[in-house]
Amino acid sequence: MRHVISILVENKVGVLARITSLISGRGFNIDSLAVGETENPAISRITIVVKGDDAILEQVRKQIGKVIDVIKVIDFTNEEFVERDLMLTKVNCPIGKRGEIIEIADIFRGKIIDVGQKDLIIEIAGTEDKLEAMLSLLRPYGIKELVRTGSIAIARGAK
Amino acid sequence: MRHVISILVENKVGVLARITSLISGRGFNIDSLAVGETENPAISRITIVVKGDDAILEQVRKQIGKVIDVIKVIDFTNEEFVERDLMLTKVNCPIGKRGEIIEIADIFRGKIIDVGQKDLIIEIAGTEDKLEAMLSLLRPYGIKELVRTGSIAIARGAK
């Protein structure tokens, strides 16, 4: 099963290395991982997407919780949460095709952030499904480069 | 100096752990790190933002290049590139303040992706400066939660 796990850690040298070693030591491959600052510069938040056996993952989650400098581990699996991924993609684009590609970007509310002689760069944020849907329309033009942040997640507020 | 480094790797168990250990082993703290898929599911791209001594960082860059499963290491420092970060933030928001907060989100082209009784969640992508600028206007309302992906980067196309 796919799990989105959020880990609050003290922003210290080596914490990330300990956590990634723990996960790969159990044979899990990390689908995506994002580490960024929180409101408090002394604390970072790591978001990990990982697929695998639920029981073993539960053990890994507990082990992560015991790592020094780890403040909190949240598994979003059974929570109400929103999830977003960011993608920058450089698409092959002869001048005559610009209109078509800009149209596709607009439909998905992507932004054109750079235009070159033979390509353009689109920025888009959304769920993995949305990013995949846009990509499937852009593929026929030729994807020259693609970089994604991996998912980040946040719990929904009380209704 | 601040460096944005992009690393193409084979999508295998343990690669990320080896790279993060290498960097923290030299005493560098990673400001942000994002790992996501590329167009080829067998290859992932790691984007790291790190600050520190240029000469030592150059050594680390070379060591990373020697790690098995690392395909390519790019330091964007002297390149023309675009850089984007994604942030989800839950802002304290009594019903009477909704209009004001939505206005701030609109100015920065942020999107409201969830509304609760006492808070709302804003999604925004942009440069670190833009994210910081929006945050400084939202802080007086109270930031309840904040998660960022860290920067990803892509080289500009030939003009």
Side-chain angles (χ1 to χ4, degrees):
Chain A
M1 194 178 161
R2 179 177 184 272
H3 288 254
V4 179
I5 296 168
S6 176
I7 309 167
L8 278 175
V9 300
E10 305 269 351
N11 188 8
K12 286 185 186 162
V13 170
V15 190
L16 182 62
R18 285 202 296 282
I19 292 172
T20 50
S21 300
L22 245 174
I23 296 171
S24 62
R26 300 300 293 262
F28 282 103
N29 193 17
I30 296 171
D31 278 5
S32 75
L33 180 148
V35 194
E37 287 182 6
T38 62
E39 243 319 69
N40 178 347
I43 295 174
S44 295
R45 188 192 286 264
I46 304 175
T47 311
I48 297 178
V49 178
V50 73
K51 283 190 209 87
D53 183 88
D54 286 9
I56 300 176
L57 198 63
E58 176 58 19
Q59 289 174 16
V60 175
R61 199 186 61 75
K62 282 183 185 154
Q63 284 179 324
I64 293 173
K66 285 177 192 159
V67 170
I68 296 171
D69 301 327
V70 167
I71 301 163
K72 198 177 172 186
V73 186
I74 307 156
D75 187 336
F76 278 113
T77 312
N78 299 311
E79 309 258 339
E80 286 262 342
F81 69 105
V82 282
E83 190 185 333
R84 291 290 185 273
D85 192 344
L86 176 68
M87 179 171 76
L88 300 177
T89 181
K90 192 184 286 173
V91 185
N92 184 45
C93 176
I95 292 167
K97 297 281 180 189
R98 269 186 198 155
E100 292 174 26
I101 295 176
I102 291 170
E103 231 167 67
I104 295 172
D106 281 348
I107 291 166
F108 291 92
R109 299 224 219 150
K111 288 180 199 161
I112 310 293
I113 58 171
D114 188 63
V115 182
Q117 279 296 335
K118 294 176 181 168
D119 44 46
L120 43 77
I121 300 176
I122 301 174
E123 169 202 315
I124 183 169
T127 56
E128 289 188 359
D129 286 354
K130 178 177 160 184
L131 271 46
E132 284 302 330
M134 189 181 78
L135 267 181
S136 67
L137 290 177
L138 292 174
R139 266 191 202 109
Y141 298 96
I143 304 292
K144 284 185 166 178
E145 251 179 283
L146 189 160
V147 51
R148 288 170 72 155
T149 56
S151 282
I152 50 173
I154 198 165
R156 288 184 186 276
K159 299 295 175 195
Chain B
M1 192 177 160
R2 179 177 184 273
H3 288 254
V4 179
I5 296 169
S6 177
I7 309 168
L8 278 175
V9 300
E10 305 269 351
N11 189 9
K12 288 186 184 160
V13 170
V15 189
L16 183 62
R18 286 202 295 281
I19 292 172
T20 50
S21 299
L22 245 174
I23 297 171
S24 63
R26 301 299 294 260
F28 282 102
N29 193 15
I30 295 171
D31 277 6
S32 75
L33 180 147
V35 193
E37 286 183 5
T38 62
E39 242 319 69
N40 179 346
I43 295 175
S44 294
R45 188 192 286 265
I46 305 174
T47 311
I48 296 177
V49 178
V50 71
K51 284 190 208 87
D53 183 89
D54 285 7
I56 299 176
L57 198 63
E58 176 59 18
Q59 288 174 17
V60 175
R61 199 185 61 75
K62 282 182 185 155
Q63 284 178 324
I64 292 173
K66 285 176 193 158
V67 171
I68 297 171
D69 300 327
V70 167
I71 300 163
K72 198 177 172 187
V73 187
I74 307 157
D75 188 337
F76 278 114
T77 312
N78 300 311
E79 308 259 338
E80 287 262 344
F81 70 105
V82 283
E83 190 184 334
R84 292 289 185 275
D85 193 343
L86 175 68
M87 179 170 76
L88 300 177
T89 181
K90 192 184 285 172
V91 186
N92 184 44
C93 175
I95 293 168
K97 296 281 179 189
R98 270 188 197 155
E100 291 175 25
I101 294 177
I102 291 170
E103 229 168 67
I104 294 172
D106 282 348
I107 291 166
F108 290 92
R109 299 224 219 151
K111 288 180 198 160
I112 310 293
I113 56 170
D114 188 64
V115 182
Q117 280 295 335
K118 294 176 179 168
D119 44 44
L120 44 77
I121 300 177
I122 302 173
E123 169 203 314
I124 182 170
T127 58
E128 290 188 358
D129 286 354
K130 178 177 161 184
L131 269 47
E132 284 303 329
M134 188 181 77
L135 267 181
S136 67
L137 290 176
L138 292 175
R139 266 191 202 104
Y141 298 94
I143 304 292
K144 283 185 165 178
E145 253 182 280
L146 188 159
V147 51
R148 287 170 72 154
T149 56
S151 282
I152 50 171
I154 198 166
R156 286 184 187 276
K159 299 294 176 197

